[in-house]
Amino acid sequence: MGSEWVLIIFLLFLSGFFSASETAFTSLSVLQLQRLKRERPKVGNLLEQLKAHPDTYLTTILIGNNLVNIATSALVTEYTLHVFGDKLLGISTGIVTLVVLIFGEVAPKRLAIAHNEGICVRTVRVIHGLSFLLKPLIYFIGAASFFIARLTGPAKGQALTLEGLFHVVDLAKDTGILDTEKTRMMKSILRFSEIPVRAIMTHRTEVFSLPAEMTLTEALPKILKEGYSRIPLYRQEPEHIVGILLTKEGVSQYLQGKKDLPLSFLMRPAVFVSVHTNLYKLLSLLREKDTNLAIVLDEYGGLAGVVSYEDVLEEIVGEMYDEDEERKEEPIQKLPDGHYRILGNTLLYTLNDALDLEIPLSRETQTVAGLITELSGNIPQEGERISTPWGDFQVESIRRKRVRSVLFFPTRSEA
């Protein structure tokens, strides 16, 4: 009977071999595969062939694993019946099941997770050879399983969505791979094609511009006071922007004695974009036109605002300040009583991320001010309170008929 136990142990080894191979193959990453191809080209290319046809190698492994497990159970049953009769058959079945589970499944798979590269290198030729020998059986099993799957209807696509990518980023944060700031930056980059220019532009009521006919002598004191490096120029009325003035060029010409030179002589062509242009397209356009400022137009061709290269970058890295520039208020401030003060120009997705809310965004509503105006149905008044499923918004201050800041009282106390 000693030979039977040797055979049973050998079959347990094969069961562990197949289980470890399955886990090692499926857990092998693209980066690991590329490294193996560089360091061991023959093995790496063979692994790539098998990885390209997962159904083939998985079916091969499953056939082998099931055959050895069935053979192990059959041998143990035969040995028990021969030596002890049927009295201990139930006990022996339970024992062999536990042994196969430990030494043929769980332990080999744990080992494979920790050493997947080494196991892949040592097993790839065996699995490749078996898949060749079992090819007819593999084809039959594949056809049968495909037919059965078709009976349940067509398979639904598993396309990767933007929401799915956000879940991946959140998972990376939860596991400590990304910190809070890197998580915010990653989400901002992923949203580039979703955020319209209108969400980050400087509104036309806050745009500093000058008449194109104004001279350098008249313009420079105003320019230096405001501190902007690029100034939109207009003709007849501020909404009719015709070009851009670079402050450094104006100062240079002034120092050369051309104090009465009209700004129009130094004017550069303006780049115009729609309020619906997304940030990805805007960034590409600014780079293509080699400019740092774009004029934003509304649906009727009127001035909606301006947007700069810096505005786009700040969506990724956060607010950037010069040494002498006054820092802006934080967009979301938690107050001592547990409520929040939120600036009106805060993007809704920023609010959602910060307070774990699910406020829906639309093409027209991208900021807190836009949300309050939409929910109010008219121009909101200071002190007006609006109830929503996410909590209550109370208008704190209005500036030029636009919501400057609101107080937010979340529904959930933990927010």
Side-chain angles (χ1 to χ4, degrees):
M1 293 297 177
S3 60
E4 290 185 356
W5 281 107
V6 171
L7 184 56
I8 290 171
I9 292 173
F10 177 67
L11 289 174
L12 281 174
F13 169 78
L14 288 180
S15 178
F17 168 84
F18 285 119
S19 295
S21 299
E22 178 186 2
T23 301
F25 274 60
T26 54
S27 65
L28 191 69
S29 69
V30 175
L31 293 178
Q32 288 176 308
L33 180 59
Q34 294 304 316
R35 183 169 63 251
L36 286 174
K37 286 180 64 179
R38 290 194 302 269
E39 297 174 357
R40 306 185 64 169
K42 290 184 179 180
V43 172
N45 289 330
L46 198 57
L47 275 169
E48 188 174 45
Q49 291 177 26
L50 287 178
K51 291 281 285 183
H53 301 89
D55 289 346
T56 299
Y57 78 79
L58 285 176
T59 304
T60 301
I61 291 172
L62 290 174
I63 291 173
N65 209 2
N66 279 281
L67 286 176
V68 297
N69 287 343
I70 292 171
T72 302
S73 298
L75 280 173
V76 171
T77 300
E78 181 184 356
Y79 177 82
T80 303
L81 289 173
H82 181 76
V83 177
F84 303 105
D86 59 0
K87 296 178 181 180
L88 298 180
L89 186 59
I91 296 175
S92 67
T93 301
I95 292 174
V96 75
T97 301
L98 182 63
V99 170
V100 169
L101 185 64
I102 295 174
F103 296 101
E105 293 290 337
V106 177
K109 289 184 176 182
R110 284 183 175 273
L111 184 66
I113 291 173
H115 306 283
N116 61 347
E117 282 189 39
I119 291 175
C120 282
V121 169
R122 289 169 176 79
T123 62
V124 61
R125 289 187 174 89
V126 176
I127 300 301
H128 184 266
L130 285 174
S131 65
F132 179 78
L133 293 174
L134 298 173
K135 187 174 292 185
L137 183 58
I138 292 172
Y139 281 158
F140 173 76
I141 293 174
S145 60
F146 176 78
F147 175 75
I148 294 172
R150 291 286 293 178
L151 294 177
T152 63
K156 295 182 179 179
Q158 298 294 326
L160 186 61
T161 63
L162 184 62
E163 192 64 29
L165 287 174
F166 288 154
H167 288 314
V168 173
V169 174
D170 286 332
L171 179 61
K173 178 186 176 184
D174 294 340
T175 55
I177 298 175
L178 296 177
D179 58 26
T180 301
E181 183 60 21
K182 289 178 181 177
T183 299
R184 186 195 62 77
M185 291 172 63
M186 287 293 295
K187 287 187 175 182
S188 296
I189 293 171
L190 292 173
R191 287 190 178 104
F192 248 41
S193 60
E194 301 291 320
I195 303 174
V197 168
R198 71 185 307 157
I200 68 165
M201 70 180 184
T202 300
H203 193 265
R204 61 184 179 81
T205 58
E206 299 175 353
V207 172
F208 172 70
S209 59
L210 294 172
E213 296 79 12
M214 184 177 281
T215 64
L216 285 173
T217 300
E218 298 170 324
L220 274 182
K222 301 177 183 293
I223 294 174
L224 296 176
K225 179 182 178 182
E226 294 294 332
Y228 294 113
S229 60
R230 290 165 179 78
I231 314 298
L233 301 179
Y234 64 86
R235 294 190 189 279
Q236 298 179 353
E237 57 183 19
E239 292 202 1
H240 185 210
I241 304 296
V242 292
I244 304 294
L245 170 71
L246 299 185
T247 297
K248 64 179 183 180
E249 291 184 358
V251 172
S252 176
Q253 294 296 323
Y254 184 88
L255 293 176
Q256 293 178 31
K258 301 177 182 179
K259 300 181 179 181
D260 295 326
L261 188 68
L263 301 182
S264 58
F265 279 79
L266 302 174
M267 184 171 63
R268 295 195 174 200
V271 173
F272 297 93
V273 297
S274 164
V275 290
H276 301 304
T277 302
N278 64 54
L279 298 193
Y280 179 79
K281 290 183 179 179
L282 171 66
L283 187 60
S284 300
L285 183 62
L286 292 177
R287 294 175 63 183
E288 177 187 342
K289 300 296 184 181
D290 195 23
T291 184
N292 281 24
L293 189 72
I295 309 302
V296 185
L297 303 179
D298 60 24
E299 294 88 341
Y300 306 102
L303 178 66
V306 299
V307 64
S308 67
Y309 203 96
E310 182 178 335
D311 293 330
V312 179
L313 293 182
E314 285 181 341
E315 276 306 298
I316 302 176
V317 301
E319 293 292 338
M320 299 184 295
Y321 300 96
D322 294 330
E323 293 82 355
D324 58 346
E325 187 177 358
E326 183 180 350
R327 289 186 171 270
K328 302 176 183 176
E329 288 184 70
E330 290 295 324
I332 302 173
Q333 305 172 48
K334 188 169 185 177
L335 303 178
D337 59 3
H339 303 146
Y340 296 86
R341 174 178 288 112
I342 305 170
L343 298 185
N345 59 1
T346 302
L347 295 175
L348 287 179
Y349 79 76
T350 301
L351 180 62
N352 284 341
D353 289 346
L355 303 186
D356 193 23
L357 303 176
E358 296 182 358
I359 302 175
L361 284 71
S362 67
R363 186 179 181 184
E364 302 299 329
T365 306
Q366 294 281 331
T367 64
V368 171
L371 175 68
I372 298 303
T373 302
E374 179 182 0
L375 294 175
S376 176
N378 51 36
I379 299 176
Q381 303 298 314
E382 289 187 1
E384 183 175 347
R385 188 160 179 147
I386 300 173
S387 296
T388 72
W390 317 284
D392 290 354
F393 291 91
Q394 182 175 333
V395 180
E396 184 181 41
S397 62
I398 299 287
R399 181 181 179 185
R400 296 179 182 176
K401 297 183 179 180
R402 298 181 69 220
V403 176
R404 184 185 179 278
S405 66
V406 300
L407 297 177
F408 178 56
F409 306 85
T411 298
R412 297 176 298 170
S413 59
E414 69 270 20

